[in-house]
Amino acid sequence: MKKLARKGNMNERIDVVLRKFRSRMTSYPPGMCPLNLYRSLLQISMNQSCGKCVPCRDGLAEVDYYLKCILNGDADMDILEKMEKKCRMIASASDCAVGTVGANLILDSLTEFADEYESHIKNGRCIEENVSQTIPCVTLCPAHVDVPGYIAMIKEGDYEGAVKVIRNKNPFPTACAMVCEHPCENKCRRTLVDAPINIRGLKKYAVDQAAADKVSTPKPNVKTGKRIAIVGGGPSGMTAAYFLGLMGHEVVIYEEHEKLGGMLRYGIPEYRLPKARLDEDINAILASGDIKVEYNTKIGRDITFTELREKFDAVYIGIGAQLGNRMPMENADAKNVIPAADFLQNVANGKPLDLKDKRVVLIGGGNVAMDAARTAMRLGASTIHVFTRKRDDYTALESEIESAMQEGIRFRTLLSFLNIEVDDEGAVNAVWLQPEIIAEYDQYGMMTTEHSSNYPYRFPCDVLILGVGQRSDVASLTEEGVPTERGRILADVTCMVKDMDGVFSGGDCVTGPSTAINAIAAGQVAAFNIDEYLGYHHKVEYGITVPPAYPNPCVPTGRAEIEEKDPFERRKNFDHVELSMTYEEAMREAGRCLRCDHHGCGVMEGGRGE
């Protein structure tokens, strides 16, 4: 009689291999050849084929051969038509999803990377400006901060040096240590071994040990006699002011509010970014060069944009996106209906809504929505429900959503927002919601929904917060000729405003609502392009020597996380929720860095300190 063997052990071993393989895909570095990537993905489909149907079994192998010829430089343009026909046949004739998905993958690549296919066939290589081996964390940081450099400084115990390395590209080391979305971690090569380096956590450890305003900034260049006006004292405007000041230019910042910081001060709650810590960055920036500030000064009210252009050699507009959006529906202006951005600014200005024992509903799933929900909890709301239409609408960091859940905020999805019900006094007393069901994915891989057969239902509430985006206050600028479209200033990648000589703009007022680090990156780009526009080519010299890179044994080691206070304690007040890493945690975490600036990707392009 045939004996039955247990297959569990083999499957478990394969699962281990697949977990390791997933980490390789997660850490696939930026700047690699897309055709090589697609070929490797195609070969996964080939390996998954059961071999029963010819289109999948033999067809995918033929497509793989075509790709090999293209990558080896042994093909002409006719091969693309052959590939397309072959893939369409496989996609329509395969018995199962293995062949269909594999073929559709290559069909997508023929459209998405048509220029790369042409370059490989005609020139035998990738398009040069698209492909190069880059350091993942540096490349994915919008400001291109030398991440391996400051981690190496931390490992050596030189915390002031770490702050200086960060400020080489980003003058907000403290604010970013608290609130940055850390895109630098997304492709960390340490994922090949275990888990990404906790880059934000290490940055926070550095500024906890060396306050930014106690760390000297570079000596400013000799004065140039040029004057630049900065409209807006948020992260973008302050970053531009910092670099322009170091270059020797005179900078005047026109700030609408009583204090600098923009949405870092008026949009991010105290429990995430204590304003005393934000002031450390701002103090250092203001001390770095000839930088003056005109507070409580709004362009279009206190001074015209035309006057600025007449008085200054160049103007940078970095006004952010501080106005909250309302939905275009009846009762959107009812009492106790407020945009999330306005709600947070009122709290920051000491004018919070009275939410004691109130039922709060919040529409939206972004980071601003999470800040508003957690702030409402701290203001004494009895219940807080967050509603979104799709799971994809939860664009906030997972850690923010998790923290909100821990603090008792309730989440519901697959509910579309229909209308607002008000009482006899014109105050909101309920919202109406329509249940949804999942439908097909769109061309961008995002899920879509459609109405469920379930009836709409009424959800009572006392306050409705709308976390549905922000917009820029560009009305007065538009009136004075600044080109705008759909509420955004028209500027190119160099931050130069369209058809306006000497006028630059960047950050949220150009791109729409984004992150602090993206605004900082825009301010950095603008500063150097303004300097070029004025006829200079300054470099900011830091004189920093990063410690040498030593081989890393690649021993799998757990990632040190930033701990937070107990959720039932932290939700009672606005005290900072995060705790500092211990010395031992920071040293072990810094020691996990693979130093990709020397190992695996080559030395950083352009060197350090430039």
Side-chain angles (χ1 to χ4, degrees):
M1 187 175 71
K2 184 178 179 181
K3 293 184 179 180
L4 296 176
R6 180 176 177 271
K7 296 182 179 180
N9 186 47
M10 173 63 75
N11 291 335
E12 290 166 5
R13 286 154 58 194
I14 290 177
D15 283 345
V16 171
V17 173
L18 290 176
R19 282 198 297 272
K20 293 179 180 179
F21 181 77
R22 279 195 294 271
S23 70
R24 292 196 67 87
M25 296 305 297
T26 301
S27 59
Y28 197 86
M32 303 299 286
C33 173
L35 269 57
N36 271 322
L37 171 61
Y38 273 102
R39 189 182 178 204
S40 65
L41 295 175
L42 174 66
Q43 289 173 343
I44 293 173
S45 292
M46 293 166 58
N47 292 332
Q48 290 177 326
S49 176
C50 69
K52 291 179 182 178
C53 73
V54 174
C56 177
R57 183 190 66 214
D58 297 340
L60 293 181
E62 290 185 38
V63 176
D64 180 62
Y65 175 74
Y66 291 152
L67 273 172
K68 178 182 177 183
C69 291
I70 293 171
L71 288 166
N72 288 343
D74 299 328
D76 55 31
M77 292 298 291
D78 292 340
I79 200 171
L80 298 181
E81 185 178 353
K82 293 179 182 178
M83 279 181 62
E84 182 178 357
K85 288 182 178 179
K86 184 72 68 176
C87 288
R88 293 196 185 283
M89 181 276 292
I90 297 169
S92 62
S94 293
D95 288 345
C96 76
V98 173
T100 300
V101 172
N104 283 333
L105 186 77
I106 302 304
L107 286 172
D108 289 343
S109 76
L110 289 170
T111 302
E112 199 71 32
F113 294 98
D115 54 345
E116 285 291 343
Y117 276 105
E118 183 177 350
S119 180
H120 276 81
I121 292 170
K122 292 183 176 179
N123 306 317
R125 63 177 184 273
C126 298
I127 298 174
E128 192 168 338
E129 60 266 25
N130 287 352
V131 180
S132 62
Q133 285 201 2
T134 59
I135 304 162
C137 54
V138 177
T139 300
L140 294 180
C141 171
H144 304 306
V145 173
D146 180 5
V147 176
Y150 76 74
I151 290 178
M153 288 289 199
I154 294 170
K155 181 64 177 174
E156 295 292 317
D158 186 357
Y159 309 119
E160 290 192 6
V163 172
K164 290 179 179 179
V165 171
I166 297 167
R167 276 204 304 230
N168 186 9
K169 300 288 186 180
N170 173 8
F172 282 94
T174 313
C176 284
M178 307 289 180
V179 302
C180 185
E181 292 191 327
H182 46 82
C184 50
E185 297 181 18
N186 290 346
K187 296 283 184 181
C188 178
R189 280 190 164 182
R190 184 71 199 195
T191 309
L192 296 170
V193 182
D194 37 54
I197 306 294
N198 192 336
I199 296 172
R200 184 178 76 84
L202 286 172
K203 185 185 299 179
K204 183 175 183 300
Y205 182 79
V207 297
D208 284 346
Q209 310 309 309
D213 54 357
K214 305 300 181 185
V215 178
S216 62
T217 56
K219 184 179 178 181
N221 186 51
V222 294
K223 292 190 175 183
T224 65
K226 300 293 184 180
R227 303 178 73 233
I228 298 98
I230 306 287
V231 182
S236 185
M238 292 295 289
T239 298
Y242 173 74
F243 287 110
L244 289 166
L246 289 178
M247 293 170 188
H249 307 306
E250 179 185 342
V251 179
V252 180
I253 301 170
Y254 290 87
E255 170 54 45
E256 178 182 355
H257 296 93
E258 295 181 355
K259 294 183 179 181
L260 295 166
M263 290 302 282
L264 290 175
R265 182 179 300 279
Y266 296 104
I268 298 178
E270 183 80 9
Y271 66 83
R272 286 185 63 208
L273 176 57
K275 300 310 173 280
R277 300 300 308 272
L278 172 62
D279 287 336
E280 295 171 8
D281 286 342
I282 292 174
N283 293 339
I285 292 171
L286 294 178
S288 64
D290 188 1
I291 302 174
K292 302 178 180 65
V293 185
E294 296 287 341
Y295 294 99
N296 298 309
T297 304
K298 180 177 174 62
I299 307 304
R301 182 190 66 192
D302 303 299
I303 186 172
T304 67
F305 185 71
T306 302
E307 288 179 277
L308 290 186
R309 295 192 70 188
E310 292 171 350
K311 290 181 178 180
F312 294 88
D313 298 293
V315 179
Y316 179 68
I317 306 171
I319 57 175
Q322 298 192 24
L323 301 179
N325 286 338
R326 291 183 183 269
M327 291 179 165
M329 62 171 55
E330 187 179 1
N331 298 324
D333 294 321
K335 183 180 178 182
N336 287 345
V337 177
I338 184 170
D342 297 357
F343 171 75
L344 292 170
Q345 289 182 57
N346 288 341
V347 174
N349 285 316
K351 302 173 183 178
L353 277 177
D354 179 13
L355 298 184
K356 184 67 175 176
D357 299 326
K358 298 287 179 62
R359 299 166 298 178
V360 175
V361 163
L362 195 145
I363 305 297
N367 282 318
V368 173
M370 292 306 105
D371 286 342
R374 297 177 69 187
T375 296
M377 175 63 73
R378 286 159 173 77
L379 293 176
S382 60
T383 61
I384 303 166
H385 287 80
V386 177
F387 295 125
T388 63
R389 182 170 189 166
K390 303 176 295 183
R391 295 186 184 93
D392 292 338
D393 291 336
Y394 287 112
T395 57
L397 289 173
E398 286 188 21
S399 58
E400 285 298 303
I401 296 172
E402 181 181 344
S403 293
M405 288 180 174
Q406 290 173 350
E407 291 172 5
I409 294 161
R410 305 171 192 182
F411 290 79
R412 290 280 305 279
T413 191
L414 289 178
L415 292 166
S416 60
F417 183 43
L418 292 180
N419 53 58
I420 302 167
E421 180 185 302
V422 298
D423 59 22
D424 294 337
E425 297 179 357
V428 62
N429 65 1
V431 295
W432 283 85
L433 304 163
Q434 169 64 53
E436 300 281 313
I437 59 173
I438 296 297
E440 295 180 357
Y441 283 84
D442 64 19
Q443 59 179 329
Y444 304 106
M446 306 292 284
M447 70 171 62
T448 61
T449 65
E450 57 189 37
H451 286 349
S452 165
S453 58
N454 290 330
Y455 289 109
Y457 66 90
R458 179 180 183 274
F459 194 91
C461 67
D462 304 304
V463 175
L464 173 61
I465 301 175
L466 303 173
V468 291
Q470 299 108 253
R471 66 189 192 280
S472 300
D473 185 5
V474 296
S476 64
L477 294 172
T478 304
E479 290 174 1
E480 295 198 58
V482 177
T484 60
E485 184 176 300
R486 300 178 68 181
R488 300 180 187 178
I489 296 172
L490 297 178
D492 60 23
V493 292
T494 69
C495 295
M496 183 171 287
V497 173
K498 181 181 179 181
D499 300 328
M500 296 198 82
D501 187 51
V503 180
F504 297 76
S505 183
D508 291 1
C509 60
V510 172
T511 63
S514 187
T515 60
I517 189 61
N518 279 321
I520 289 165
Q524 177 204 122
V525 169
F528 284 91
N529 284 320
I530 290 171
D531 186 63
E532 294 280 346
Y533 167 79
L534 296 174
Y536 300 92
H537 187 67
H538 286 115
K539 293 184 178 181
V540 179
E541 300 292 345
Y542 281 74
I544 301 169
T545 301
V546 172
Y550 301 105
N552 192 306
C554 297
V555 176
T557 308
R559 168 182 158 115
E561 300 290 355
I562 300 177
E563 296 295 325
E564 292 189 346
K565 296 176 182 175
D566 181 273
F568 287 94
E569 290 298 321
R570 68 186 188 227
R571 70 179 188 176
K572 296 177 181 178
N573 54 56
F574 283 87
D575 294 346
H576 191 216
V577 298
E578 290 187 337
L579 305 174
S580 294
M581 281 186 179
T582 65
Y583 173 80
E584 293 80 9
E585 287 174 323
M587 291 303 104
R588 182 171 291 126
E589 193 63 17
R592 294 176 65 233
C593 180
L594 298 175
R595 290 301 301 270
C596 296
D597 53 332
H598 285 273
H599 303 306
C601 293
V603 178
M604 288 182 64
E605 182 179 352
R608 290 185 165 87
E610 297 187 0

